[in-house]
Amino acid sequence: MKTKALVLAAGQGTRMKSNGSKVLHKVLGKSLVEYPIIAAKGVGVEEICLIVGHKAEDVKAALGERVSYALQKEQLGTGHAVMQALDFMEDADEVIVLCGDTPLITKETLQTMLDFHREKQNAITVLSTLMEDPTGYGRIVRDANGNLLKIVEQKDATEEEKAINEINGGIYTFDGKLLKYALSKLDNNNVQNEYYLTDTIEILLNEGKRVDAIAIEASDDIAGVNSRIQLAGVTQVMKERINEKHMANGVTLVDPANTYIESDVVIGKDTIIEPGCMLQGNTVIGENCRIGYNSKLTNMTIKDNVDIEVSVLTDSFVDEGTHVGPFAYVRPNSHIGKNIKVGDFVEIKNANIGDGTKISHLTYIGDADVGEGVNFGCGTVVVNYDGQKKHRTTIGNHAFIGCNTNLVSPVVVEDNAYTAAGSTITRTVPENSLGIARAKQENKENWVLKKRQK
Ligand code: UD1
Ligand code: MG
């Protein structure tokens, strides 16, 4: 027996009013459909099949080979969607069915459903919950003894049925063989003329099979996203879950309501995250850092004791004890060493910066290898682009770059060399030398007085 998962993601999602696929809309960095996939993997499911239809090519391109796909050419209902994956399911399999638009589902809740399903040896287990306002969901209909009878869709429900608060979460576990059997019996005799997956319940009950619904308390877990308003609501819940995890781990979030941390981010203890920060992708932050207000870090590795203020950093590395900002921009493939100062209005791209270097203000360093203990004066520009190609510049240890120096790449400033302020350096400055490349000053005495006399 294998446990496999089907994720239904072929629907159009009309209410999103979007040109793209509904399930590719993002919640804190991941598309909606990635979350049920992760939850399924979390309970040990290895084979996952996504039912795609609307914008199928986009969905496949976004998710790649981590799942297999079955195409539902026409969206004739959730039961019809599952029929497209008959080849994916063996009789002996246990099949979990999830929806691509329920990102808050957790592996814990799936495990609760699986345990219940196995213990009761059910043919179908439905995940349900009690909702104050059940409008729009399928209702769980039970008899006087609490036995499940059927699921009835809102549109097909009687007034009495509409009053039921227990709703179908759209997440199920099936016995593979019985699922296939029930699918072969489905019809579309309902208000929407759709093949409802939920009708498999009545079909198998009529055959004397064991079918039940397990009501979970965490109703957030099965909240579906059908509109932008629900997308925002789900983002809010996701944000709270992530932020609470970090606070429990010893991270200070000054204002969790205004802190946006994506789910794969790792943060060490005693680090302080100030309001307005966005921490994205595979960012890993060490201990005892301060990520100052309104900073955005994407796929960054930040070691311990780093202090960042109002800055944007992407796909780079910052070592211990370094200070960045305010208003710095660190672009991809930069390696910034220990105890460095990257000050205001400094941009660094595809560069290595050695320990203890100071780049205090208004400087651009692109495509360069900078040694240790270098001092950059204000307004230095590494002129890395000649209009056609990028070139690399090398600056040795303890070099001193005067204010307003242009370093026209490729060029080398050797160890302990200086450049004079205002120089445009185009040739190597040898070790221990001063490179001056600017016009000599000439003073015209009494020039002003003569001009006034004219
Ligand atoms: C479905 C359930 C309902 C439940 C609700 C939970 C049925 C008949 N109803 O209703 O009982 O309370 O989910 O959210 O199953 N999809 C396809 N192909 C289709 C139709 C849908 O792939 O032909 C996908 C959608 O992309 C979506 C999921 O199936 O991810 C659910 O479809 P949706 O139309 O949202 O079903 P609901 O009306 O919400
Ligand atoms: Mg839905």
Side-chain angles (χ1 to χ4, degrees):
M1 184 204 80
K2 273 190 190 168
T3 306
K4 295 181 181 171
L6 282 181
V7 181
L8 310 188
Q12 184 173 357
T14 322
R15 281 168 288 170
M16 291 298 281
K17 308 228 167 96
S18 173
N19 292 326
S21 159
K22 167 163 98 172
V23 295
L24 294 183
H25 283 268
K26 295 214 161 154
V27 170
L28 289 174
K30 286 197 169 72
S31 56
L32 290 174
V33 68
E34 281 179 86
Y35 289 101
I37 292 172
I38 292 167
K41 290 195 171 164
V43 293
V45 175
E46 280 164 17
E47 292 176 47
I48 299 173
C49 178
L50 211 62
I51 314 295
V52 291
H54 184 72
K55 300 274 170 184
E57 293 312 312
D58 294 352
V59 177
K60 285 175 161 182
L63 292 176
E65 290 180 3
R66 52 188 139 150
V67 293
S68 61
Y69 300 92
L71 182 66
Q72 187 192 23
K73 285 197 192 106
E74 270 183 292
Q75 283 77 58
L76 303 179
T78 49
H80 181 258
V82 174
M83 287 178 207
Q84 312 311 307
L86 288 176
D87 291 346
F88 172 76
M89 308 179 278
E90 306 288 334
D91 283 354
D93 291 340
E94 186 178 60
V95 182
I96 302 176
V97 175
L98 297 135
C99 288
D101 63 354
T102 51
L104 295 175
I105 185 67
T106 60
K107 62 174 191 229
E108 289 78 11
T109 293
L110 285 187
Q111 193 61 55
T112 302
M113 171 178 70
L114 280 176
D115 291 346
F116 181 84
H117 181 80
R118 290 168 188 168
E119 192 194 309
K120 301 270 171 174
Q121 299 186 314
N122 284 340
I124 310 176
T125 299
V126 180
L127 203 59
S128 70
T129 196
L130 297 177
M131 281 214 179
E132 234 168 83
D133 177 11
T135 312
Y137 289 95
R139 309 298 204 283
I140 303 285
V141 183
R142 296 181 185 266
D143 68 15
N145 298 320
N147 297 313
L148 179 61
L149 292 178
K150 62 175 177 175
I151 295 178
V152 59
E153 292 307 299
Q154 165 95 19
K155 287 180 181 154
D156 301 293
T158 63
E159 286 310 312
E160 209 175 301
E161 287 165 340
K162 280 183 190 155
I164 298 172
N165 287 97
E166 186 179 1
I167 61 101
N168 169 26
I171 295 170
Y172 322 79
T173 309
F174 290 92
D175 171 275
K177 185 175 176 190
L178 294 172
L179 171 59
K180 286 183 173 189
Y181 170 77
L183 289 174
S184 74
K185 301 279 172 194
L186 279 188
D187 61 41
N188 62 354
N189 293 331
N190 51 57
V191 173
Q192 305 188 79
N193 290 119
E194 286 186 1
Y195 295 89
Y196 290 165
L197 181 60
T198 44
D199 286 349
T200 56
I201 287 154
E202 245 182 309
I203 292 168
L204 292 185
L205 280 173
N206 288 338
E207 302 270 330
K209 306 295 178 199
R210 303 173 65 93
V211 178
D212 205 352
I214 174 172
I216 53 155
E217 274 177 34
S219 57
D220 277 346
D221 281 30
I222 55 184
V225 174
N226 298 309
S227 66
R228 307 267 178 170
I229 293 169
Q230 288 172 328
L231 183 68
V234 155
T235 301
Q236 196 67 18
V237 175
M238 188 74 77
K239 186 181 81 173
E240 282 167 17
R241 285 184 183 176
I242 294 171
N243 287 352
E244 280 168 17
K245 175 190 81 180
H246 289 293
M247 291 188 279
N249 287 343
V251 178
T252 295
L253 305 184
V254 175
D255 182 5
N258 284 302
T259 305
Y260 302 83
I261 305 175
E262 293 183 359
S263 48
D264 295 336
V265 171
V266 177
I267 310 175
K269 61 173 185 285
D270 290 321
T271 282
I272 298 170
I273 314 290
E274 293 185 353
C277 286
M278 305 183 80
L279 309 179
Q280 306 181 325
N282 304 316
T283 292
V284 178
I285 299 171
E287 296 187 357
N288 219 22
C289 295
R290 179 180 69 119
I291 311 300
Y293 70 101
N294 289 351
S295 292
K296 180 170 156 184
L297 277 55
T298 309
N299 302 323
M300 285 297 304
T301 301
I302 306 278
K303 304 306 273 188
D304 298 344
N305 299 310
V306 168
D307 188 50
I308 295 175
E309 281 188 287
V310 220
S311 290
V312 177
L313 299 89
T314 307
D315 294 284
S316 291
F317 174 94
V318 178
D319 213 338
E320 284 168 33
T322 283
H323 174 94
V324 178
F327 312 112
Y329 186 21
V330 176
R331 292 168 54 198
N333 208 20
S334 297
H335 186 286
I336 299 173
K338 297 189 172 100
N339 303 316
I340 287 171
K341 183 178 178 198
V342 177
D344 53 279
F345 305 104
V346 170
E347 177 173 335
I348 296 175
K349 185 212 81 170
N350 190 27
N352 300 309
I353 313 290
D355 297 348
T357 286
K358 288 193 166 60
I359 317 163
S360 295
H361 10 239
L362 298 159
T363 290
Y364 173 60
I365 301 177
D367 303 302
D369 299 296
V370 177
E372 296 179 4
V374 174
N375 190 93
F376 284 88
C378 181
T380 300
V381 176
V382 174
V383 185
N384 60 325
Y385 186 49
D386 64 10
Q388 277 165 328
K389 269 193 181 161
K390 305 271 164 67
H391 301 277
R392 262 194 113 73
T393 273
T394 304
I395 299 170
N397 296 328
H398 306 288
F400 186 99
I401 309 299
C403 288
N404 249 324
T405 296
N406 293 312
L407 297 159
V408 182
S409 307
V411 76
V412 179
V413 177
E414 293 185 350
D415 289 354
N416 300 313
Y418 275 50
T419 69
S423 293
T424 293
I425 302 293
T426 55
R427 288 187 290 127
T428 298
V429 183
E431 215 176 320
N432 297 316
S433 308
L434 168 68
I436 308 182
R438 63 182 189 216
K440 272 219 167 101
Q441 181 170 337
E442 189 188 343
N443 290 337
K444 305 209 175 203
E445 307 239 330
N446 294 325
W447 179 88
V448 177
L449 298 177
K450 283 176 201 159
K451 182 177 157 60
R452 282 188 191 146
Q453 273 165 15
K454 269 190 193 163

